[in-house]
Amino acid sequence: MKLTDFKMAEKAFKVTVISCIGCSLIFGMCFIISMVYMYQKAENAYRHALVIDTSGKTYDTTPVLASDMRRFEYEDHVKRFVQLWYSFDENNYEKHLNEALNLIGNKGKELLNEYKDVNMLNSLIQKNIRYEVNIQDISIDMGTLPVSGEIIFTQTGLRSRGELSREIHARFTLYDVSRSRGNSHGAKIEQWEVNYYNPSKKENDL
């Protein structure tokens, strides 16, 4: 065999080695890129979920932090209490108060005694009054211990001769309890301090 043949074979071998190394690098880069792509897709899948309703329609959802979700539950809990405790008539008065007492701690007994002292149920019957509530604002401070907040709402007493409204600001604290049928949010109001503002009276024309 001639010396030139050895040199050509050696050169071909080097070319083959270089080609193999180049291909390996290319395949390695492709593998890394594909893994990064799949990781990003998996992350997006974890961050989004699809909800399918009974009609088969799908809706895209985004996750909510547990602390934010708990804040929403606290807000709904307090709003529910206000709707029950300050909005009623003679037909649902007792039902509303019984449900509201599941949402508040020992302070509820004190508030109930205040209604009993003014003979609220008898007043509703004799004066034919019903009370309605309109909530303007609510804020929850998750940074305090216990959790605290404030709610602003208007209570309006309606009767045949007119209506009387007053704005109520209530400051409150909350603590967690076990969830139940009567307390689905698993919370109770501890402190409940109210202030009344801007009473207004409106007479109906005869």
Side-chain angles (χ1 to χ4, degrees):
M1 183 177 291
K2 296 180 180 180
L3 183 60
T4 54
D5 293 337
F6 282 109
K7 289 183 177 180
M8 291 180 62
E10 183 180 0
K11 185 177 180 180
F13 176 75
K14 288 182 179 180
V15 172
T16 302
V17 171
I18 294 173
S19 299
C20 291
I21 294 174
C23 290
S24 298
L25 290 174
I26 293 173
F27 284 128
M29 291 294 295
C30 291
F31 177 76
I32 293 173
I33 292 173
S34 64
M35 289 298 293
V36 171
Y37 175 76
M38 293 191 65
Y39 176 79
Q40 290 176 342
K41 295 293 287 185
E43 281 290 306
N44 290 335
Y46 281 121
R47 292 175 183 173
H48 295 81
L50 290 178
V51 176
I52 303 176
D53 63 16
T54 55
S55 64
K57 295 181 179 179
T58 59
Y59 302 90
D60 188 25
T61 63
T62 54
V64 178
L65 294 176
S67 59
D68 291 337
M69 181 60 71
R70 193 57 175 151
R71 182 198 304 272
F72 300 149
E73 288 186 331
Y74 286 148
E75 288 181 359
D76 191 61
H77 185 89
V78 176
K79 287 179 179 180
R80 178 63 176 160
F81 174 78
V82 168
Q83 291 287 353
L84 291 170
W85 199 261
Y86 294 93
S87 176
F88 46 73
D89 57 30
E90 62 181 272
N91 298 313
N92 58 27
Y93 171 77
E94 293 181 338
K95 178 177 181 292
H96 277 207
L97 264 57
N98 287 333
E99 291 183 16
L101 288 173
N102 290 321
L103 311 180
I104 191 170
N106 293 329
K107 185 68 174 181
K109 297 177 182 178
E110 180 180 330
L111 297 178
L112 182 60
N113 287 333
E114 291 178 2
Y115 277 161
K116 289 181 177 180
D117 289 343
V118 298
N119 203 357
M120 177 63 76
L121 180 57
N122 187 58
S123 178
L124 294 173
I125 297 173
Q126 290 187 351
K127 298 179 180 179
N128 192 26
I129 300 176
R130 78 175 189 275
Y131 288 98
E132 295 181 352
V133 161
N134 180 31
I135 297 174
Q136 278 87 48
D137 189 30
I138 183 171
S139 60
I140 301 289
D141 188 351
M142 299 292 288
T144 60
L145 189 65
V147 173
S148 61
E150 181 177 11
I151 186 169
I152 301 173
F153 59 97
T154 300
Q155 183 188 44
T156 302
L158 303 170
R159 55 189 305 185
S160 59
R161 291 185 298 177
E163 61 185 54
L164 179 64
S165 298
R166 59 180 179 176
E167 186 174 292
I168 301 176
H169 294 204
R171 296 190 60 83
F172 55 84
T173 59
L174 296 155
Y175 63 96
D176 293 334
V177 297
S178 299
R179 298 177 189 267
S180 63
R181 186 180 298 275
N183 189 337
S184 59
H185 292 128
K188 280 197 173 184
I189 297 168
E190 185 174 21
Q191 297 297 322
W192 185 259
E193 301 175 358
V194 298
N195 291 295
Y196 303 99
Y197 300 92
N198 305 323
S200 62
K201 187 175 182 180
K202 180 181 178 181
E203 297 285 350
N204 289 335
D205 296 332
L206 297 177

